Structure formats: C-alpha cells, structure tokens
C-alpha cells in the first residue's frame, strides 16, 4: 500500500511518498505553517505534491503536525487520552485537494494532567504510535519535549516540558544566559545536571529552578564559573530538571525510548543515567511513517 | 550627622542628602550604570551632586548598588555571608571625587548556597540591614527577588530567584506568554498559585516548573483558559513557585518583611497566605537610608 504524507510543522514542510514503511520519494521546503496565511495551504501542498497525486491516484493522503492547529490549514480538534490509532483515525479531518481527492489531517492529542489542567501535542502522537514501544515511556525531543506513557500500544498520558524554548529564551534574551561564550566547554552540561539534583524532591529540599537559574549568573559574576561553561550548564540544568520531573511525575522505567538526533539523545542518556535509566533511540522520521501506517489502517474509507 | 547617598542601579541614578534618617533633598536621572561607559561615573555624580558636596564639606558620601559591579564605577569585591554592618563597612572601596573628597562604595554580598555554588546581591544587603528585622526573613522584591535570613542584625544567608526577569521573558519573547491579552483578569494570579502548588514537594510529587509553564500554553490553545487570564496566571505560577522554594529552602517563619511597593507586596501576601505566613512591609527607600546609616557608623574614617 502506497500513501502520501505531509509532516507540516511550524517552520518546515516535509512530504514523503511511502510504500508500506519505505520512503520512495521526498520533498521539503521552508513553507511551515508560521509563514502561511489562511487559504495558502492547499496551493503549497499541490505545488509540492501534485505529481505524486497524479502518479498514485489511489494513495491516501495524510497530513500531520501543526497543519491541524489554529495557525494551520483547518483546526483538527484534539483527540483525548488515552488514545490509540483507532481513536485518532476516528476524528481525522478531511480537506479538499481538488479532483475529488481528499487529505486527512491527523488530530493532536489532549490530556488532563490534573483536574482542570491541560496538556496538548500535535505530531508527537504519531511518532509515539510508531516508536515501536507498546508498553513503556517514549520521549519525543524538541522545542517542547513530550514524555509519553504507552500502554498496550495506546498513548495513556503524557507531559510536555518547555525545556528547549526556555534554553533559547535564556541564551538569547536573559541576563542569566547572555554572558555565555563559545567555543563551549561541554563539561558544563554535567555541572548543570549536578545543580538540577538540588531541585530533585527525592534528594532533599528542592532549591527551586528559578533560584538555580540565578545561581548560574551569580557563579559567573563572582568568578566561580568560566563563561564558556555557561551554555552547556544551562542546558544541563534544564534537561536535568525536565528528566527529574518526568520520572517523578510520569513513571520510573528501566529504559526510555528517545526520539531525537544522536547528539540530543546522548544528553538525555547522561541525565537518565543518574537515575539508573537506560535509553534506546529511534529516528523521528521512521517513527512518523510507522505511526501513520498504524493510523491509516484504521480509517475505513482509505 | 549628614551624609550623601547615591543609590546607583542598572537603569536609575538616585541620590539623597540625608540627616540621620531624614531625606533633606533628592536628585535622580536615568543615568543607570547600563548606559554609562568606564570613566563617566565621576562626571555624572559631580554633575548631579556637586552642590551638596560644596554645602556639606564634612558629609560622608556612600554609593550603593550596581555602581560597584563590573559594569559600574569600580568593582567592589563581595563581602561574604554571614555579614553585618561592620563586615560590610570593612571592605568598602573608595573612589576619588576630587578636592580631596572620597566616595565609598558599599560592596555586595556573596553566599554559598551549596558547596561550590554561588549567590550574590548588590544593594539589597543595605536594604536588609535597614529593614528593621533583627531576626527573621526579609524579601527584597525586584527583577531578581532576594530572600534574606537575618540573625542578630546580620545577614546570615540568602537566596535569589529570577522570577521578575522570567516573567518578562515569558511575556515578551515566548510562545507560552505571547497570547496574553489585556485588560487582564486578575483572578488568573490565584489560578497560577493553584498550579504552583502542584510543584510543591511538600504536597506530593512535584510536576516541574517547565511542565507547568507549558500547561499554560496548552490551556490556552485547547480553549480552557481565556487569554486575559494568562498574564496574571504566569505571575501567580512564578511567584508561587518562588515562595514555595524559599519557604522550603530558607526558612518557614510566621511572617516575612517585604520590601516592595504595595501592589507587589499584596501579591506576595496572597502567595504566603497559602502557607499561613503573614507579611509586614517597609518602603525600600526608608530601608536603604536606615541600612546605610547602620553601615556608615562602622567606618572609622567617616
């Protein structure tokens, strides 16, 4: 079975022509949803993918990611956790591609971490379903990393951390991160993990992340920390705090499956090793295709 | 006894002619240290205060705040906690004002919250010494609020939180805070305090601040939170987290003395009330003058 996939995020448009789980052809551009106006999405899709639609008149078309957000093509309302491929397939939204052809937008997922509270994802639900993890923990890295609990092949619940965005804010705009210099000394990352342990409730009285962040500035201005340690230190502090919270809040497994590039996965491995937790990795693109393949089989009309 | 005081911060220059603890005259400008280059400070000071130097030839001149930082007039190395007026007076740095007159820069304070870690303040040490609190907790509000433990009239230790700067970063630059609209609904602050309790280790498994911040975005994009609640919500979440950490880490008193304007003090009062902790308030300027008066009496040459 062949199908056409668009992984349409905030900053990138990436599309694949797929047979089973093998990618036959690829197109991509910087036409992420953040640079498009209402009404432009169909044109972009057809400009990039019309030749596939023509060559594969029976291939289902699936769209995933921020394309289903308020900034996207149409809003695809969230499915709610717990959810597996069947529940997600059930609430997909169709968009008109012309010539009687339709595209199907994969909805994001909503969960309620506490009564009245909210967490959401768009795209990572598909990665998690294609991660190969039936029961266990998946971490989808990114600007807003997601810690996802899989149970019997379905997504039971998840928690998002704003780690990546926070790191960028601190480095670009804050008094805390601006003194950082390059080339970086990567040993700062482990010093940051050390500091994060002081906010781990399981190890004593937590110092508070807002305090530990200021300590980084104090260490620099008092001459206790070289400025080339600062960037990796902040990365280690934030990653360590993310991991500590995720393991406390979500689950404490013996291993976590990380969907990330090798460099980022290595940083998670170092943070998780402090808890005696190992990692496996899987490439995000492979997980995406596998996840879509699981979802598409549950759409009766496709 | 009369003396001349400059409270010279990052963005403002404020100077006072003082008799005992009464302010006789005031000048101020936007010549904070952040807009001055090396070598300009003496000229600024003389332009604003030369008439006082002439009228009061015996008055000691004290300079306090970021004027003693690397961005200031000269670097005044930090004194170390615990420190009282005597220890601080001992390490003051003199700068030449011409005509044989000297200005004395009050050093900042350093403390070591954990082995190898660092915290610093410049200016708040003087406020704390003038807070009227001999034994107890003082909170000096600001961009980087300081929680200060006073023992027998000396500063025993302190902890800084980057709360104010974090709020500004989130509101101005982040995906989390940008959707916020005005006029704000102030009830968001208490909702933020509710969320902060979910990161209080004393009340269960802490959810993590980086996660709770993302929840604010998830609540907005999923339609669970009106955008006019978002700004106060973030303020409540950060203030609540600061207060929870400070009380856990520093001390749990029956009351805290807050050095802040009435509006900010009220927000602290609401966060502290959840712990059964009351507040007293004192105006920062009164605390500054009183603190300097305590310090100046320990300088033998003045």
């Amino acid at each position: 079975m062949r199908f056409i996939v668009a992984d349409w995020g905030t900053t990138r448009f990436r599309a694949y022509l797929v047979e089973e789980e093998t990618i036959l052809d690829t197109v991509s551009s910087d036409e992420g949803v953040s640079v498009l106006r209402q009404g432009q999405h169909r044109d972009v899709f057809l400009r990039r993918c019309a030749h596939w639609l023509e060559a594969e008149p029976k291939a289902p078309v699936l769209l995933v990611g921020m394309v289903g957000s308020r900034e996207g093509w149409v809003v695809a309302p969230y499915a709610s956790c717990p959810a597996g491929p069947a529940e997600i397939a059930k609430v997909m939204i169709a968009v008109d591609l012309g010539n009687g052809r339709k595209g199907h937008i994969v909805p994001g997922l909503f969960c309620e971490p506490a009564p009245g509270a909210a967490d959401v994802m768009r795209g990572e639900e598909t990665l998690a379903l294609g991660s190969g993890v039936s029961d266990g923990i998946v971490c989808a890295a990114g600007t807003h990393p997601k810690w996802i609990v899989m149970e019997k092949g379905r997504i039971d619940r998840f928690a998002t951390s704003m780690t990546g965005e926070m790191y960028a804010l601190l480095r670009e705009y804050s008094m805390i991160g601006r003194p950082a210099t390059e080339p970086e000394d990567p040993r700062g990352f482990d010093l940051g993990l050390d500091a994060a342990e002081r906010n781990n409730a399981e190890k004593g009285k937590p110092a508070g992340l807002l305090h530990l962040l200021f300590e980084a500035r104090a260490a620099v201005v008092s001459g206790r920390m070289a400025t080339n340690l600062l960037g990796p230190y902040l990365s280690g502090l934030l990653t360590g705090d993310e991991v500590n919270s995720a393991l406390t809040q979500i689950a404490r497994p013996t291993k976590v499956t990380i969907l990330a590039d090798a460099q980022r996965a290595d940083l998670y491995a170092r943070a998780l090793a402090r808890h005696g937790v190992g990692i496996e990795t899987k490439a995000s693109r492979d997980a995406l295709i596998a996840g879509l393949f699981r979802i598409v089989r549950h759409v009766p009309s496709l």
Side-chain angles (χ1 to χ4, degrees), chain A residues 8-260:
Chain A
W8 208 334
T10 302
T11 57
R12 297 289 296 171
F13 172 85
R14 290 189 187 87
Y16 309 103
L17 176 63
V18 180
E19 170 138 22
E20 299 293 319
E21 298 194 17
T22 304
I23 292 170
L24 304 177
D25 198 6
T26 303
V27 295
S28 73
S29 78
D30 54 7
E31 292 153 312
V33 298
S34 66
V35 299
L36 300 180
R37 286 194 309 278
Q38 203 63 36
Q40 295 186 309
H41 301 79
R42 183 171 173 272
D43 291 343
V44 169
F45 183 81
L46 291 176
R47 184 158 67 245
R48 300 293 170 194
C49 303
H51 59 298
W52 293 344
L53 293 174
E54 213 165 302
E56 306 289 344
K58 301 277 182 202
V61 177
L62 296 177
L63 306 161
V64 63
M66 296 306 283
V67 65
S69 74
R70 283 191 290 189
E71 292 76 39
W73 191 333
V74 296
V75 177
Y78 298 101
S80 283
C81 280
E87 289 85 354
I88 288 171
K90 203 176 291 176
V91 292
M92 291 209 299
I93 293 277
V95 290
D96 182 30
L97 301 175
N99 295 323
R101 204 72 177 270
K102 294 210 177 303
H104 300 270
I105 298 182
V106 178
L109 266 193
F110 173 86
C111 85
E112 191 172 24
D119 205 340
V120 293
M121 54 169 61
R122 279 199 191 274
E124 295 91 348
E125 71 295 326
T126 306
L127 302 180
L129 293 175
S131 65
V133 177
S134 180
D135 292 272
I137 308 298
V138 175
C139 171
T143 303
H144 297 147
K146 312 282 180 181
W147 290 76
I148 302 163
V149 181
M150 300 296 296
E151 282 187 17
K152 298 181 181 161
R154 297 164 79 224
I155 296 168
D156 186 68
R157 62 192 187 278
F158 62 90
T160 307
S161 179
M162 72 166 290
T163 315
E165 184 181 3
M166 179 62 76
Y167 177 77
L169 286 174
L170 291 171
R171 285 298 304 273
E172 286 174 45
Y173 301 111
S174 80
M175 292 169 67
I176 310 294
R178 266 193 317 236
T181 54
E182 297 178 344
E184 294 177 339
D185 182 340
R187 289 173 301 177
F189 187 82
D190 287 308
L191 297 176
L193 292 181
D194 293 344
E197 289 188 21
R198 292 176 44 220
N199 197 34
N200 188 348
E202 296 171 16
K203 300 208 174 180
K205 295 178 174 183
L209 183 61
L210 295 171
H211 167 66
L212 293 171
L213 286 169
F214 186 84
E215 275 194 11
R217 173 173 170 79
V220 168
V221 301
S222 65
R224 290 209 161 192
M225 191 195 294
T227 51
N228 63 349
L229 288 164
L230 182 57
Y233 179 92
L234 292 173
S235 171
L237 172 55
L238 296 174
T239 302
D241 202 59
E242 173 193 331
V243 165
N244 293 343
S245 297
L247 295 183
T248 301
Q249 189 71 10
I250 284 278
R252 189 169 295 275
T254 55
K255 70 174 174 65
V256 171
T257 297
I258 309 278
L259 308 178

